[in-house]
Amino acid sequence: MPSVFTHAAVPLALWCASERGRISARLLGAGVAAAMLPDADVLAFAVHIPYADAFGHRGASHSLLFAAVLGLVACALSPWLRASRVQAAAFVSACALSHPLLDAFTSGGLGVALWWPWSEQRLFAPWRPIRVSPFANNFFSARGLQTVLSELRWVWLPLFSCVLGWKLVQHRAPTDQTSP
């Protein structure tokens, strides 16, 4: 998995790329939480659920269904999130879905159960440049530093570049095409 901090990069990038005020602070918070929430499945280790189990790490909580359910919850909470139902559902679902997609680009683990419950097959992207993050107590180690540098290169820098490019396109001066 990329580190929990990097999972927040996608909702933050979407917020930065949007028009000011388009995504409320509450909706942004829900998006960040949705992007990080799938990794709560590491608690399965504490109750001896095997990694490869459907409810183990990178299992059901890393699925399209899980992202859709979070989107439905956001839809129900849309007034509190200060968003329309569609915006709340779409934003939160997209943020939640970004988590397993980023995990699929990592160099380790068992892959993600993206299609659970229809399939328990674990998937990886064909190209896996992001170093897998060490768990908690090993995060602040040489391997953890290598992971952070990998995430900066393969996640944060491309997202920053996309946001910057989008902002430049948005702020480009309109050309006056009216004739005298």
Side-chain angles (χ1 to χ4, degrees):
M1 71 181 152
S3 68
V4 71
F5 309 109
T6 291
H7 283 299
V10 171
L12 290 170
L14 291 171
W15 177 76
C16 288
S18 69
E19 296 173 18
R20 178 131 349 256
R22 178 85 174 152
I23 297 173
S24 72
R26 289 180 181 181
L27 183 58
L28 174 60
V32 168
M36 295 175 167
L37 185 59
D39 275 343
D41 65 6
V42 297
L43 297 173
F45 293 131
V47 292
H48 307 289
I49 295 174
Y51 190 147
D53 189 87
F55 294 99
H57 185 50
R58 290 188 174 182
S61 67
H62 286 62
S63 68
L64 289 170
L65 179 63
F66 187 78
V69 167
L70 290 182
L72 290 173
V73 170
C75 181
L77 297 174
S78 63
W80 185 83
L81 294 172
R82 298 184 179 144
S84 72
R85 289 176 184 240
V86 171
Q87 182 191 23
F91 185 75
V92 169
S93 290
C95 293
L97 185 57
S98 72
H99 185 113
L101 295 180
L102 282 174
D103 278 3
F105 283 93
T106 62
S107 62
L110 296 180
V112 295
L114 194 63
W115 300 111
W116 180 90
W118 303 282
S119 170
E120 289 190 25
Q121 179 183 7
R122 302 292 184 101
L123 306 170
F124 274 114
W127 180 56
R128 298 168 34 192
I130 304 170
R131 291 187 60 93
V132 70
S133 180
F135 285 110
N137 57 347
N138 291 324
F139 184 75
F140 297 101
S141 65
R143 184 170 161 231
L145 177 60
Q146 290 174 337
T147 298
V148 169
L149 294 174
S150 171
E151 292 171 358
L152 287 171
R153 178 180 183 190
W154 297 110
V155 181
W156 289 94
L157 183 60
L159 284 172
F160 175 77
S161 299
C162 288
V163 168
L164 184 60
W166 178 249
K167 288 295 190 182
L168 289 172
V169 167
Q170 282 181 320
H171 289 98
R172 195 175 75 194
T175 57
D176 186 11
Q177 297 186 6
T178 59
S179 53

mmCIF file of all heavy atoms in Angstrom, residues 78-104:
data_model
loop_
_atom_site.group_PDB
_atom_site.id
_atom_site.type_symbol
_atom_site.label_atom_id
_atom_site.label_comp_id
_atom_site.label_asym_id
_atom_site.label_seq_id
_atom_site.Cartn_x
_atom_site.Cartn_y
_atom_site.Cartn_z
ATOM 1 N N SER A 78 -25.518 14.023 2.240
ATOM 2 C CA SER A 78 -25.194 15.171 1.387
ATOM 3 C C SER A 78 -25.554 16.533 1.979
ATOM 4 O O SER A 78 -24.769 17.474 1.834
ATOM 5 C CB SER A 78 -25.796 15.003 -0.009
ATOM 6 O OG SER A 78 -27.202 14.960 0.055
ATOM 7 N N PRO A 79 -26.700 16.700 2.658
ATOM 8 C CA PRO A 79 -26.956 18.022 3.243
ATOM 9 C C PRO A 79 -25.876 18.417 4.261
ATOM 10 O O PRO A 79 -25.401 19.554 4.271
ATOM 11 C CB PRO A 79 -28.327 17.880 3.915
ATOM 12 C CG PRO A 79 -28.978 16.743 3.204
ATOM 13 C CD PRO A 79 -27.859 15.804 2.841
ATOM 14 N N TRP A 80 -25.481 17.475 5.111
ATOM 15 C CA TRP A 80 -24.450 17.752 6.101
ATOM 16 C C TRP A 80 -23.099 18.011 5.424
ATOM 17 O O TRP A 80 -22.303 18.822 5.898
ATOM 18 C CB TRP A 80 -24.337 16.596 7.093
ATOM 19 C CG TRP A 80 -23.371 16.902 8.191
ATOM 20 C CD1 TRP A 80 -23.613 17.622 9.330
ATOM 21 C CD2 TRP A 80 -21.985 16.528 8.242
ATOM 22 N NE1 TRP A 80 -22.459 17.714 10.086
ATOM 23 C CE2 TRP A 80 -21.443 17.053 9.439
ATOM 24 C CE3 TRP A 80 -21.149 15.812 7.401
ATOM 25 C CZ2 TRP A 80 -20.124 16.878 9.803
ATOM 26 C CZ3 TRP A 80 -19.825 15.626 7.772
ATOM 27 C CH2 TRP A 80 -19.335 16.161 8.952
ATOM 28 N N LEU A 81 -22.845 17.333 4.300
ATOM 29 C CA LEU A 81 -21.589 17.504 3.565
ATOM 30 C C LEU A 81 -21.585 18.779 2.721
ATOM 31 O O LEU A 81 -20.573 19.107 2.105
ATOM 32 C CB LEU A 81 -21.327 16.285 2.668
ATOM 33 C CG LEU A 81 -21.068 14.967 3.393
ATOM 34 C CD1 LEU A 81 -21.017 13.808 2.407
ATOM 35 C CD2 LEU A 81 -19.787 15.041 4.209
ATOM 36 N N ARG A 82 -22.736 19.464 2.700
ATOM 37 C CA ARG A 82 -22.894 20.697 1.920
ATOM 38 C C ARG A 82 -22.603 20.468 0.443
ATOM 39 O O ARG A 82 -21.818 21.185 -0.185
ATOM 40 C CB ARG A 82 -22.020 21.806 2.494
ATOM 41 C CG ARG A 82 -22.401 22.150 3.914
ATOM 42 C CD ARG A 82 -21.617 23.310 4.456
ATOM 43 N NE ARG A 82 -22.056 23.601 5.818
ATOM 44 C CZ ARG A 82 -21.273 24.006 6.784
ATOM 45 N NH1 ARG A 82 -19.997 24.205 6.555
ATOM 46 N NH2 ARG A 82 -21.752 24.248 7.985
ATOM 47 N N ALA A 83 -23.272 19.445 -0.074
ATOM 48 C CA ALA A 83 -23.103 19.062 -1.476
ATOM 49 C C ALA A 83 -24.417 18.494 -1.989
ATOM 50 O O ALA A 83 -25.273 18.084 -1.206
ATOM 51 C CB ALA A 83 -21.999 18.008 -1.598
ATOM 52 N N SER A 84 -24.550 18.467 -3.293
ATOM 53 C CA SER A 84 -25.715 17.786 -3.857
ATOM 54 C C SER A 84 -25.533 16.289 -3.653
ATOM 55 O O SER A 84 -24.418 15.819 -3.392
ATOM 56 C CB SER A 84 -25.848 18.098 -5.347
ATOM 57 O OG SER A 84 -24.833 17.433 -6.079
ATOM 58 N N ARG A 85 -26.602 15.534 -3.786
ATOM 59 C CA ARG A 85 -26.501 14.078 -3.618
ATOM 60 C C ARG A 85 -25.531 13.470 -4.619
ATOM 61 O O ARG A 85 -24.697 12.629 -4.273
ATOM 62 C CB ARG A 85 -27.878 13.438 -3.773
ATOM 63 C CG ARG A 85 -28.802 13.725 -2.635
ATOM 64 C CD ARG A 85 -30.181 13.138 -2.908
ATOM 65 N NE ARG A 85 -31.094 13.508 -1.860
ATOM 66 C CZ ARG A 85 -31.721 12.643 -1.089
ATOM 67 N NH1 ARG A 85 -31.585 11.359 -1.287
ATOM 68 N NH2 ARG A 85 -32.517 13.062 -0.139
ATOM 69 N N VAL A 86 -25.648 13.919 -5.869
ATOM 70 C CA VAL A 86 -24.781 13.373 -6.921
ATOM 71 C C VAL A 86 -23.326 13.733 -6.652
ATOM 72 O O VAL A 86 -22.432 12.886 -6.765
ATOM 73 C CB VAL A 86 -25.234 13.870 -8.315
ATOM 74 C CG1 VAL A 86 -24.225 13.508 -9.387
ATOM 75 C CG2 VAL A 86 -26.609 13.320 -8.655
ATOM 76 N N GLN A 87 -23.069 14.995 -6.290
ATOM 77 C CA GLN A 87 -21.694 15.409 -6.031
ATOM 78 C C GLN A 87 -21.102 14.629 -4.863
ATOM 79 O O GLN A 87 -19.968 14.152 -4.935
ATOM 80 C CB GLN A 87 -21.616 16.912 -5.750
ATOM 81 C CG GLN A 87 -20.191 17.377 -5.517
ATOM 82 C CD GLN A 87 -20.075 18.785 -4.976
ATOM 83 O OE1 GLN A 87 -21.013 19.308 -4.367
ATOM 84 N NE2 GLN A 87 -18.930 19.411 -5.180
ATOM 85 N N ALA A 88 -21.862 14.502 -3.780
ATOM 86 C CA ALA A 88 -21.363 13.786 -2.602
ATOM 87 C C ALA A 88 -21.061 12.333 -2.949
ATOM 88 O O ALA A 88 -19.984 11.817 -2.610
ATOM 89 C CB ALA A 88 -22.379 13.866 -1.464
ATOM 90 N N ALA A 89 -21.984 11.674 -3.617
ATOM 91 C CA ALA A 89 -21.792 10.265 -3.972
ATOM 92 C C ALA A 89 -20.613 10.086 -4.921
ATOM 93 O O ALA A 89 -19.772 9.202 -4.719
ATOM 94 C CB ALA A 89 -23.068 9.697 -4.580
ATOM 95 N N ALA A 90 -20.537 10.921 -5.946
ATOM 96 C CA ALA A 90 -19.471 10.785 -6.936
ATOM 97 C C ALA A 90 -18.097 11.072 -6.331
ATOM 98 O O ALA A 90 -17.139 10.323 -6.556
ATOM 99 C CB ALA A 90 -19.729 11.714 -8.115
ATOM 100 N N PHE A 91 -18.002 12.143 -5.553
ATOM 101 C CA PHE A 91 -16.716 12.515 -4.972
ATOM 102 C C PHE A 91 -16.222 11.455 -3.990
ATOM 103 O O PHE A 91 -15.071 10.999 -4.074
ATOM 104 C CB PHE A 91 -16.820 13.886 -4.289
ATOM 105 C CG PHE A 91 -15.501 14.396 -3.757
ATOM 106 C CD1 PHE A 91 -14.538 14.898 -4.616
ATOM 107 C CD2 PHE A 91 -15.234 14.383 -2.398
ATOM 108 C CE1 PHE A 91 -13.323 15.369 -4.135
ATOM 109 C CE2 PHE A 91 -14.019 14.850 -1.906
ATOM 110 C CZ PHE A 91 -13.060 15.346 -2.775
ATOM 111 N N VAL A 92 -17.073 11.048 -3.085
ATOM 112 C CA VAL A 92 -16.663 10.069 -2.075
ATOM 113 C C VAL A 92 -16.362 8.714 -2.722
ATOM 114 O O VAL A 92 -15.373 8.059 -2.375
ATOM 115 C CB VAL A 92 -17.709 9.965 -0.944
ATOM 116 C CG1 VAL A 92 -17.431 8.779 -0.036
ATOM 117 C CG2 VAL A 92 -17.717 11.266 -0.135
ATOM 118 N N SER A 93 -17.172 8.283 -3.666
ATOM 119 C CA SER A 93 -16.892 7.016 -4.367
ATOM 120 C C SER A 93 -15.562 7.072 -5.100
ATOM 121 O O SER A 93 -14.773 6.123 -5.039
ATOM 122 C CB SER A 93 -18.005 6.686 -5.360
ATOM 123 O OG SER A 93 -19.175 6.337 -4.697
ATOM 124 N N ALA A 94 -15.322 8.174 -5.806
ATOM 125 C CA ALA A 94 -14.058 8.310 -6.548
ATOM 126 C C ALA A 94 -12.860 8.296 -5.600
ATOM 127 O O ALA A 94 -11.839 7.655 -5.880
ATOM 128 C CB ALA A 94 -14.071 9.591 -7.375
ATOM 129 N N CYS A 95 -12.994 8.984 -4.474
ATOM 130 C CA CYS A 95 -11.903 9.007 -3.494
ATOM 131 C C CYS A 95 -11.656 7.616 -2.918
ATOM 132 O O CYS A 95 -10.509 7.184 -2.776
ATOM 133 C CB CYS A 95 -12.204 10.008 -2.391
ATOM 134 S SG CYS A 95 -12.200 11.727 -2.983
ATOM 135 N N ALA A 96 -12.735 6.907 -2.592
ATOM 136 C CA ALA A 96 -12.596 5.546 -2.057
ATOM 137 C C ALA A 96 -11.996 4.611 -3.100
ATOM 138 O O ALA A 96 -11.145 3.770 -2.779
ATOM 139 C CB ALA A 96 -13.951 5.023 -1.592
ATOM 140 N N LEU A 97 -12.409 4.758 -4.344
ATOM 141 C CA LEU A 97 -11.897 3.898 -5.409
ATOM 142 C C LEU A 97 -10.422 4.185 -5.711
ATOM 143 O O LEU A 97 -9.686 3.288 -6.135
ATOM 144 C CB LEU A 97 -12.739 4.060 -6.675
ATOM 145 C CG LEU A 97 -12.399 3.146 -7.834
ATOM 146 C CD1 LEU A 97 -12.495 1.680 -7.417
ATOM 147 C CD2 LEU A 97 -13.325 3.437 -9.004
ATOM 148 N N SER A 98 -9.993 5.415 -5.455
ATOM 149 C CA SER A 98 -8.583 5.729 -5.703
ATOM 150 C C SER A 98 -7.661 4.875 -4.832
ATOM 151 O O SER A 98 -6.529 4.579 -5.223
ATOM 152 C CB SER A 98 -8.313 7.218 -5.457
ATOM 153 O OG SER A 98 -8.337 7.542 -4.079
ATOM 154 N N HIS A 99 -8.149 4.464 -3.676
ATOM 155 C CA HIS A 99 -7.312 3.684 -2.759
ATOM 156 C C HIS A 99 -6.875 2.343 -3.369
ATOM 157 O O HIS A 99 -5.667 2.085 -3.486
ATOM 158 C CB HIS A 99 -8.031 3.472 -1.423
ATOM 159 C CG HIS A 99 -7.180 2.788 -0.420
ATOM 160 N ND1 HIS A 99 -6.751 3.416 0.724
ATOM 161 C CD2 HIS A 99 -6.649 1.538 -0.377
ATOM 162 C CE1 HIS A 99 -5.987 2.578 1.411
ATOM 163 N NE2 HIS A 99 -5.919 1.424 0.761
ATOM 164 N N PRO A 100 -7.820 1.475 -3.769
ATOM 165 C CA PRO A 100 -7.349 0.212 -4.349
ATOM 166 C C PRO A 100 -6.616 0.399 -5.669
ATOM 167 O O PRO A 100 -5.718 -0.389 -5.993
ATOM 168 C CB PRO A 100 -8.629 -0.614 -4.523
ATOM 169 C CG PRO A 100 -9.740 0.371 -4.521
ATOM 170 C CD PRO A 100 -9.280 1.499 -3.650
ATOM 171 N N LEU A 101 -6.952 1.441 -6.416
ATOM 172 C CA LEU A 101 -6.242 1.662 -7.674
ATOM 173 C C LEU A 101 -4.786 2.026 -7.402
ATOM 174 O O LEU A 101 -3.887 1.515 -8.080
ATOM 175 C CB LEU A 101 -6.945 2.734 -8.506
ATOM 176 C CG LEU A 101 -8.347 2.347 -8.988
ATOM 177 C CD1 LEU A 101 -8.972 3.479 -9.802
ATOM 178 C CD2 LEU A 101 -8.338 1.051 -9.782
ATOM 179 N N LEU A 102 -4.537 2.886 -6.415
ATOM 180 C CA LEU A 102 -3.147 3.176 -6.051
ATOM 181 C C LEU A 102 -2.449 1.928 -5.520
ATOM 182 O O LEU A 102 -1.298 1.661 -5.880
ATOM 183 C CB LEU A 102 -3.086 4.292 -5.006
ATOM 184 C CG LEU A 102 -3.279 5.712 -5.504
ATOM 185 C CD1 LEU A 102 -3.332 6.689 -4.334
ATOM 186 C CD2 LEU A 102 -2.199 6.114 -6.493
ATOM 187 N N ASP A 103 -3.135 1.165 -4.684
ATOM 188 C CA ASP A 103 -2.538 -0.062 -4.148
ATOM 189 C C ASP A 103 -2.172 -1.051 -5.257
ATOM 190 O O ASP A 103 -1.201 -1.792 -5.131
ATOM 191 C CB ASP A 103 -3.487 -0.749 -3.166
ATOM 192 C CG ASP A 103 -3.442 -0.142 -1.771
ATOM 193 O OD1 ASP A 103 -2.715 0.852 -1.560
ATOM 194 O OD2 ASP A 103 -4.144 -0.660 -0.889
ATOM 195 N N ALA A 104 -2.939 -1.062 -6.318
ATOM 196 C CA ALA A 104 -2.655 -1.984 -7.429
ATOM 197 C C ALA A 104 -1.344 -1.644 -8.123
ATOM 198 O O ALA A 104 -0.754 -2.499 -8.784
ATOM 199 C CB ALA A 104 -3.801 -1.967 -8.430
#
